[in-house]
Structures are given as C-alpha cells and as structure tokens.
C-alpha cells in the first residue's frame, strides 16, 4: 500500500544528474585517484578491502577528528559514514586516545588476559542482559563463533538466516546477502545463494533462508527441518538494505518458536549494538536472545568483536570442552579502547543526544520528502538512520529489490560534493552519527538532501 501520493522518478534525469555530479567530484579527488594507481602496484585492486572500492572510486582518507574527516586531497567532510558505523564515539575522542596511548606505552600484545576484560564484560552484560562474554577481532569472528556454538550445544547442523542480511565474511553464513533477484526463487522457499565464489555447495545445504518480519516462514522452516535446526541468526533491525525495523512481536515470536523446538536465537548486533540504544536492539525492542554478536561501535575505532551468551551456551567453553580462541582475542589495546569507549563515551545519556540528532535528520529529510512528493521515507533510531526510496514500506529484502540503485548513488554523490561523507554502496542510504555530531551537521545533511530531492523531482 502506498504511503501517500508520490511522483515518478525520471531515471533519465537521474542518469544526467549522476554524470554532472561525477564530473564535479572527479577533480576534487585527484590525489586519491593518483594514489590508488600507486597502491595498485602491490595491493590487490589498490584497496585493503573490496568494499573500500565503491563507485565512483576509492577515496583515501588522511585523518579524522570528532565529527569530521579529511581526504588526502584536503577535502573536509562531516562524517556520516563513520567507518561503516564503527565510530559512534567519533574520531580521536580524547578519552579513547588517552586510553590507547597509555596502553601502547605499556605494551600492545601479550596473548595473556589483562585487567580491562572484566570491566568490558560487565558493561556488555549490563547493556545486553547476557551473563557471559568472550572477545574477538571482528564481527565476522563473532558470528562465526555464534554459528558454531549453536551447533555445538544443540548437536544439530542446520542454521536459519534472513534473506538480505550480511553476517560477515565466513562460509557458514555468506548466503543470500544481496542475492541476484533472478536466483532467489519463490518467497515461500528462497534459494540459499552464495555471496561469493568458492563456497562449497555443502555449506549452502546447511543454511535455510527466510524473509525478515515473517514468523510463519520461520515456523514452516522449523516444521520442514524437523529437529535439525541448531538456531537462527538475525539482525534484529536489518541494516544492510537501508534500516528495516522489526515489526511488533516479531523478535519475541522468533524466540518463542525457536525455543519450543530446542533451537537458539542469535542476534547479530554488529551494526545495531551500542548504536540504536545503550543496550542496542535488546534494549530497543525488549527481547533478549540467547546470543548477541558485537563489533564496530564497541571498540572505539580499534578492531574488535564480542560474543555474549547464556551460561548454558558458554558451558562447554567454560569447561574447556570447546576452544573459542584467537591470538589477538582480548588484545590489550582493543580492551583499553573498548573500556574507555563503553564506560566514558557511549554512556547512557549520550543516546539522548544521538536521538536528538536523529530527530533533526528524520524531520528535515521527511519534510523534504513530503514537499517534493519523493517516493521515500525515513527510518531508524539512535545513531542509525536511513532514507528508503520506496513509496511502500520495505519490510524485507524482496521489497527493496525494486529500488533503483542509481537513485541512492546520486544521493551519495550530492552529499559527497557538498561536504558530507556517507557510507558508500547502493541501496544503503544509511547514516551513522557520533557523539560529536551537532544539529548544525544534521542541518547540512538535510540541506543537501533537499537539493537532491528537488533536483530529481523537478
Ligand atoms: C550486520 C553485520 N554483521 C557482521 C559484519 C561483519 O563485521 P566485520 O566487518 O567486522 O567482520 C558486518 C559488517 O559490516 C555487519 O554489518
């Protein structure tokens, strides 16, 4: 059902505007383009991670401070990208810098536990309502351990995941992330589509894909896989095709359905954790799962990851029957940064500020959408928000397929050319804000958005 009357977007106009904006941008990024050619000589593709190479080209960053970053051409941006959402604490926060410097001068790695771990564990237990925690180095490692732990404790092999969710770069869950619409099959029985080459079919056979916000689909999967499901991993609010909120009762329904069948529920809170609210999605939606996977925002900008779970799930780890291990797990530098970030920066009251900035962004963009009758709406809360370019509500990945990536790409170009750095990649018009962002920053974002909305609805 349409939300209200909207205009049709002229995609030829969008294409012309893309050309215009790219032509304006290119000379501003001369140093980035030149440096990339240098890096390409020895670094595959000239970037450290494939997703740093987003259209129109990789932008190399020189430094960051608070809510700002500067690229190597000297362009200054208000940063709404924030390292794919990791920098809710902002860049070079003095408290985190001090904690890192203090620890760096005392040694950066021992592969032995240090005395910050209990403070971080206690803080995470308070936020997410789960009693026990372990640390790792990325969101990928956290969800990998979650998948394995659910299998280990249940003694079952099958996992359920949501179509359109990303859980990191490992073979257990790298399926149906942004699957090609030609390959996804029927909605009632989505095909488990590998995200990249090189994942054996045998892994796909262990993963059942279901649409988000649909309890019946999960019930059907549990019935069909009678007694074989170890657990389900879900982003409690989907963050990788815009921000898609869970419908009332969905998360509670999932937990109930899974528990009745002896299966576990894991939240992937890599993007939502310590970002949507103090206690992430657990607090925001009021349902505590069996496992919470964290990374990004909890590390204050250092490589980090954490997995929290019930005592039942951690029992084999505690008893030494299951090795959850890694040379850099609980690295002292990360733990020091995490401790400062969680206890001194992302404090409970910082979320009032993040919500205030969210309101300014949502109201400003919302008013421009109304005025121009753009087929779009705004979602999100806390540090995360998104404009979704659809006249009808997007409840799951398949609803987002019709969104034309050229529109979100143009929106990115408009912001980039006007001093705002947003996360690259199409269809993910997602912003993150930090404790340093101000109402003036929100206003700048909104003014750029107004210009963009007026240009494409002309
Ligand atoms: C929801 C979600 N889970 C897991 C990951 C993987 O985290 P990392 O890149 O730290 O391995 C990401 C990364 O963007 C993510 O968005």
């Amino acid at each position: 059902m349409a939300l209200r009357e909207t205009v049709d977007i002229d995609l030829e106009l969008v294409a012309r505007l893309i050309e215009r904006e790219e032509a304006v941008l290119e000379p501003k990024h001369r140093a980035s383009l030149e440096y990339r050619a240098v890096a390409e000589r020895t670094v595959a593709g000239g970037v450290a991670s494939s997703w740093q190479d987003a259209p129109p080209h990789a932008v190399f960053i020189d430094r960051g401070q608070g809510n700002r970053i500067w690229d190597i051409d000297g362009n200054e941006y208000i940063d709404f990208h924030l390292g794919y959402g990791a920098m809710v604490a902002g860049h070079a926060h003095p408290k985190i810098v001090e904690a890192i410097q203090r620890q760096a001068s005392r040694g950066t790695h021992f592969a032995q536990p240090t005395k910050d771990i209990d403070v971080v564990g206690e803080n995470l237990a308070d936020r997410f309502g789960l009693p026990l925690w372990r640390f790792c180095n990325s969101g990928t490692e956290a969800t990998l351990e979650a998948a394995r732990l659910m299998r280990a404790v249940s003694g079952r092999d099958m996992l359920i995941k949501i179509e359109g969710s990303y859980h990191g770069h490992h073979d257990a869950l790298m399926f149906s992330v942004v699957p090609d619409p030609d390959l996804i099959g029927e909605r009632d029985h989505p095909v488990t589509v590998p995200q990249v080459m090189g994942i054996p079919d045998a892994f796909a056979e262990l993963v059942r894909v279901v649409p988000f916000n649909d309890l019946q689909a999960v019930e059907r999967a549990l019935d069909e896989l009678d007694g074989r499901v170890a657990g389900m991993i879900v982003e409690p609010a989907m963050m990788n095709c815009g921000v898609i909120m869970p419908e009332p009762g969905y998360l509670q329904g999932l937990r109930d359905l899974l528990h009745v069948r002896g299966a576990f529920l894991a939240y992937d809170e890599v993007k939502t954790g310590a970002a949507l609210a103090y206690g992430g999605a657990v607090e925001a939606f009021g349902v505590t799962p069996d496992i919470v996977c964290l990374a990004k925002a909890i590390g204050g900008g250092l490589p980090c990851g954490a997995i929290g779970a019930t005592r039942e799930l951690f029992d084999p780890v505690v008893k030494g029957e299951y090795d959850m291990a890694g040379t850099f797990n609980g690295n002292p530098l990360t733990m020091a940064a995490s401790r400062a970030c969680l206890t001194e920066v992302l404090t409970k009251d910082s979320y009032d500020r993040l919500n205030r900035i969210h309101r300014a962004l949502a109201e400003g963009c919302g008013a421009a959408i109304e005025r121009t009758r753009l087929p779009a709406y705004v979602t999100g809360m806390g540090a995360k928000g998104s404009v979704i370019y659809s006249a009808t509500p997007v409840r799951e990945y398949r609803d987002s397929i019709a969104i034309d990536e050229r529109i979100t790409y143009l929106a990115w170009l408009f912001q980039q050319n006007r001093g705002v750095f947003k996360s690259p990649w199409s269809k993910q018009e997602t912003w993150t804000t930090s404790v340093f962002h101000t109402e003036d920053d929100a206003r700048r974002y909104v003014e750029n958005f107004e210009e963009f909305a007026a240009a494409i609805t002309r």
Side-chain angles (χ1 to χ4, degrees):
M1 195 183 65
L3 298 169
R4 65 200 144 68
E5 206 165 302
T6 55
V7 294
D8 289 332
I9 306 281
D10 174 357
L11 290 173
E12 280 176 22
L13 171 63
V14 170
R16 283 199 301 281
L17 289 168
I18 287 176
E19 230 172 89
R20 183 190 85 184
E21 293 293 318
E22 281 181 340
V24 174
L25 191 62
E26 181 145 337
K28 294 191 204 173
H29 285 169
R30 206 131 278 154
S32 269
L33 289 162
E34 280 169 19
Y35 185 76
R36 194 224 171 110
V38 173
E40 258 170 350
R41 286 192 228 138
T42 49
V43 179
V47 290
S49 162
S50 296
W51 297 341
Q52 292 168 3
D53 183 22
H57 47 247
V59 183
F60 287 77
I61 301 302
D62 178 42
R63 68 200 159 90
Q65 187 68 54
N67 53 359
R68 295 281 197 281
I69 49 173
W70 289 263
D71 67 21
I72 63 170
D73 283 272
N75 298 303
E76 177 180 323
Y77 309 89
I78 305 168
D79 191 7
F80 284 88
H81 175 6
L82 289 169
Y84 278 125
M87 302 307 300
V88 179
H91 298 288
H93 193 292
K95 290 209 155 61
I96 298 176
V97 171
E98 193 207 325
I100 291 172
Q101 283 174 340
R102 198 181 330 118
Q103 185 58 49
S105 68
R106 304 177 71 237
T108 58
H109 183 65
F110 314 111
Q112 288 295 122
T114 54
K115 279 179 69 182
D116 286 326
I117 60 169
D118 71 311
V119 179
V120 177
E122 200 177 310
N123 186 283
L124 295 179
D126 178 48
R127 286 174 190 255
F128 297 96
L130 286 170
L132 292 178
W133 292 83
R134 272 285 176 92
F135 307 111
C136 50
N137 305 290
S138 66
T140 294
E141 291 177 34
T143 65
L144 180 156
E145 292 288 3
R148 190 178 295 148
L149 198 54
M150 290 193 290
R151 284 173 164 154
V153 175
S154 67
R156 304 170 179 179
D157 284 345
M158 290 293 305
L159 297 173
I160 302 179
K161 87 169 278 288
I162 299 289
E163 192 169 52
S165 269
Y166 174 62
H167 299 296
H169 238 65
H170 60 86
D171 291 352
L173 294 168
M174 254 180 118
F175 296 103
S176 301
V177 174
V178 196
D180 180 340
D182 292 337
L183 303 179
I184 55 180
E186 296 295 314
R187 184 181 176 282
D188 279 357
H189 254 279
V191 175
T192 302
V193 184
Q195 189 188 346
V196 291
M197 294 183 284
I199 302 179
D201 291 345
F203 287 92
E205 282 161 25
L206 298 175
V207 177
R208 174 71 182 262
V209 173
V210 294
F212 192 56
N213 272 326
D214 184 342
L215 288 172
Q216 278 178 353
V218 176
E219 192 164 22
R220 203 163 46 238
L222 288 165
D223 284 344
E224 287 172 16
L225 297 166
D226 190 24
R228 292 179 55 209
V229 175
M232 173 166 178
I233 187 160
V234 60
E235 279 183 282
M238 284 181 76
M239 288 279 153
N240 286 313
C241 38
V243 175
I244 307 180
M245 292 294 194
E247 289 180 353
Y250 176 66
L251 296 170
Q252 180 67 49
L254 281 185
R255 194 174 75 168
D256 294 346
L257 279 174
L258 289 156
H259 283 185
V260 164
R261 318 291 176 111
F264 297 108
L265 174 64
Y267 280 179
D268 177 348
E269 288 230 43
V270 168
K271 277 200 163 157
T272 55
L276 284 190
Y278 176 79
V282 171
E283 176 189 326
F285 308 119
V287 179
T288 310
D290 304 296
I291 295 181
V292 167
C293 303
L294 297 169
K296 296 197 195 275
I298 63 159
L302 262 66
C304 66
I307 171 169
T310 58
R311 291 189 189 281
E312 177 200 3
L313 273 153
F314 262 123
D315 190 49
V317 179
V318 171
K319 285 186 178 147
E321 296 162 359
Y322 172 124
D323 284 346
M324 190 181 276
T327 302
F328 283 96
N329 287 10
N331 170 263
L333 214 49
T334 298
M335 288 294 107
S338 208
R339 176 182 181 150
C341 176
L342 292 169
T343 63
E344 297 183 69
V345 181
L346 299 183
T347 49
K348 282 189 176 148
D349 53 347
S350 65
Y351 294 88
D352 295 338
R353 181 194 178 94
L354 292 167
N355 276 318
R356 215 174 48 242
I357 305 300
H358 178 80
R359 265 195 306 280
L361 286 161
E363 284 170 14
C365 293
I369 288 167
E370 285 279 322
R371 212 167 34 249
T372 55
R373 294 193 291 133
L374 189 69
Y377 64 99
V378 186
T379 62
M381 68 192 293
K384 309 296 278 190
S386 155
V387 175
I388 297 198
Y389 292 93
S390 172
T392 52
V394 171
R395 300 174 59 243
E396 58 174 272
Y397 171 72
R398 290 185 188 220
D399 296 339
S400 75
I401 289 173
I403 298 172
D404 197 295
E405 334 193 302
R406 286 169 291 185
I407 298 172
T408 36
Y409 176 49
L410 180 62
W412 185 89
L413 285 169
F414 258 76
Q415 294 285 2
Q416 184 79 8
N417 269 329
R418 292 159 186 77
V420 166
F421 210 121
K422 282 192 332 148
S423 293
W425 286 106
S426 47
K427 293 201 189 177
Q428 296 180 23
E429 159 84 34
T430 307
W431 64 67
T432 304
T433 54
S434 81
V435 296
F436 288 101
H437 279 63
T438 63
E439 256 118 2
D440 280 348
D441 297 334
R443 203 166 304 123
R444 169 88 85 90
Y445 190 107
V446 168
E447 280 166 12
N448 293 346
F449 182 81
E450 284 169 344
E451 209 181 315
F452 158 76
I456 61 165
T457 51
R458 210 182 291 143

